[in-house]
Amino acid sequence: MFEQRDFTFIYKYFLAEKQATLWILILGIIAVILSIIFWFFIKNNPSFFKGAAIPLMVLGLLQMVVGYSVYSRTDKQKADIAYKIGMEPVSFVKSAELPRMQKVMKSFEILKWAEIALFITALVLIFLFRLNAGRAFWFGFGVTLAIQTAILFSLDFFAEKRGAIYTNELQKIVSGQVVQP
């Protein structure tokens, strides 16, 4: 008798990834636009806004690149993985998909610590220069860096949770615990 397995977790994971990366792309575009406005058009307190423009531009471009690249490859990746898991679930998951996801999960750890370090740096800049009008550039830099890293940390937090659920499902396949539909 043919054994039917429930692999809907693959579609759920990649759909959530695609939706999240679309938001990351949109947030990146907004950040870059704000950066341009802050740098070229804000005349009130220009030092503060020029400082704010730099983390917006740098992190906004990063968000755009990551958002677009993951968004654009997700459908093909989902189809390829679903097909390969459907054909040879245990061997494909054990040799390819689980190791890939373990690397992804490790990268979330690295990102988390980098974002925490950037956030602490931002808080130090805010604290040091909040009352120093002559250092408004660094105060603006710190405020925007804090906001951007908090947003990135939040997005990565949820991405890591999605990745953990997906990885857990992959581990079930390897251990033979695949739930029947």
Side-chain angles (χ1 to χ4, degrees), residues 129-145:
F129 301 117
R130 73 187 185 288
L131 301 175
N132 188 338
R135 301 292 184 154
F137 176 91
W138 291 108
F139 180 64
F141 188 98
V143 167
T144 308
L145 183 61

Side-chain angles (χ1 to χ4, degrees), residues 63-177:
Q63 288 168 315
M64 287 173 56
V65 168
V66 170
Y68 177 76
S69 65
V70 175
Y71 181 85
S72 64
R73 75 170 179 240
T74 297
D75 288 335
K76 182 176 179 349
Q77 188 177 27
K78 174 184 65 178
D80 289 346
I81 290 169
Y83 176 78
K84 290 174 182 173
I85 287 178
M87 295 303 289
E88 292 290 333
V90 176
S91 64
F92 174 72
V93 169
K94 190 183 285 188
S95 67
E97 187 61 2
L98 193 54
R100 182 188 76 82
M101 281 307 296
Q102 289 167 336
K103 287 179 188 172
V104 168
M105 297 306 289
K106 187 72 152 173
S107 72
F108 282 128
E109 275 298 308
I110 295 165
L111 281 173
K112 181 177 14 181
W113 287 109
E115 290 161 352
I116 289 169
L118 285 173
F119 188 75
I120 291 169
T121 301
L123 292 179
V124 168
L125 289 171
I126 292 168
F127 178 76
L128 288 176
F129 301 117
R130 73 187 185 288
L131 301 175
N132 188 338
R135 301 292 184 154
F137 176 91
W138 291 108
F139 180 64
F141 188 98
V143 167
T144 308
L145 183 61
I147 292 168
Q148 279 287 82
T149 54
I151 290 168
L152 291 172
F153 186 86
S154 300
L155 293 169
D156 287 339
F157 172 82
F158 291 111
E160 184 177 19
K161 294 299 176 200
R162 285 190 306 273
I165 291 167
Y166 180 70
T167 301
N168 185 48
E169 292 296 323
L170 294 173
Q171 289 169 335
K172 286 180 185 178
I173 292 172
V174 171
S175 68
Q177 300 175 12

